[in-house]
Amino acid sequence: MSSVLVLRLAGPLQSWGASSRFTRRTTESAPTKSGVIGLLAAAAGIERGDDARLASLAALRFGVRIDQPGTRIRDFQTAHHGVTGKSMPLSERFYLADAVFVAALEGEYALLAELDAAVRAPVYPPFLGRRSCPPSGPVELGLYEGARLEDVLRQVPWQASAWYRKRHRSRSQEGLTVLREAAADERGVADALRDQPLSFAAEHRRHALRTVVTTTVPVPGVPVGVVRHDPFDALEDESS
C-alpha cells in the first residue's frame, strides 16, 4: 500500500509559475508539482542535471489543499548589467502574499521516508517557488504510512494562520479546495496543467502535461497543542 508525505507551505511570499515567459513571471493560485518536486530535490541534494533521480520524485502522485489562499500581488523589477552597466529589460513578477497550503505526495514508503528526512535536514534550503521566497517555518507535517492522497488531504488539520481562522469562521461551511492528480482508474471532469517535471537541467528544462482534478473537502480540525510561529499572527495581535 502507498504512503503519503505532507508539507506545510507558508511564507510572506510564494510564486509558483507554470507558464512564465521572458519578462512576465506569473504565479498559479496554488503550488505546482514542478515547484514542490524542486523543493524536495533541493532538500535531498539532487543536482539539476540528474534526471534519473528526478524521475523517481516526478512519479509521485501530487495534491495540494488551499488552506489560506493569500493575495496576488505584482512587482516591477529592473537591473543593470554588472559589466556593461546597461539597463536590463523591465520585468513584471507576480507573487502570492500571506498564503498557506498543504501539499501531499503519494508513493512508496522508502522514498518518502528519505524525502521526509531530507526536508528536516536539507542539503539546500527550501524555497516556495523562487529562491527569494523562503518558508516562514518548518515545512514538514509528517509521513502517513499505508494511506491514500485523498484521505490525507481530507484529514490533516487546517493549517491557516490563527488570525485567518478567526476572520473566516464561515470557511467551515464552505470547505477547502483541493487540486490533485487523478487516480489511474478515475473518470470525470479534469483540467491539464503543464507542471509535470521531466528535467530541471538549466540548458533544457522540460515539463509535460498533468491531469488535475478539483474537489472540495470539509474543513478539518485545528491541531491541538501545536504552535505555528507565523509572523502574521504576531502582527495581527499587535493591531487588534
Side-chain angles (χ1 to χ4, degrees), residues 1-7 60-63 102-113 115-116 141-156:
M1 182 177 288
S2 61
S3 298
V4 178
L5 176 65
V6 187
L7 308 173
L60 297 170
R61 186 165 168 245
F62 175 72
V102 171
L105 299 106
E106 179 184 289
E108 295 184 0
Y109 176 81
L111 174 59
L112 294 178
L115 296 175
D116 184 44
L141 277 181
L143 178 56
Y144 293 72
E145 188 174 1
R148 297 177 67 248
L149 185 76
E150 293 86 348
D151 296 335
V152 171
L153 287 173
R154 190 179 299 113
Q155 297 168 4
V156 170

Side-chain angles (χ1 to χ4, degrees), residues 4 13 20 32 41 54 58 67 82 89 108 126 143 150 158 179 193 211 220:
V4 178
L13 293 175
S20 297
T32 58
L54 171 65
D67 282 28
E108 295 184 0
L143 178 56
E150 293 86 348
W158 193 16
L179 308 172
L193 186 64
T211 302

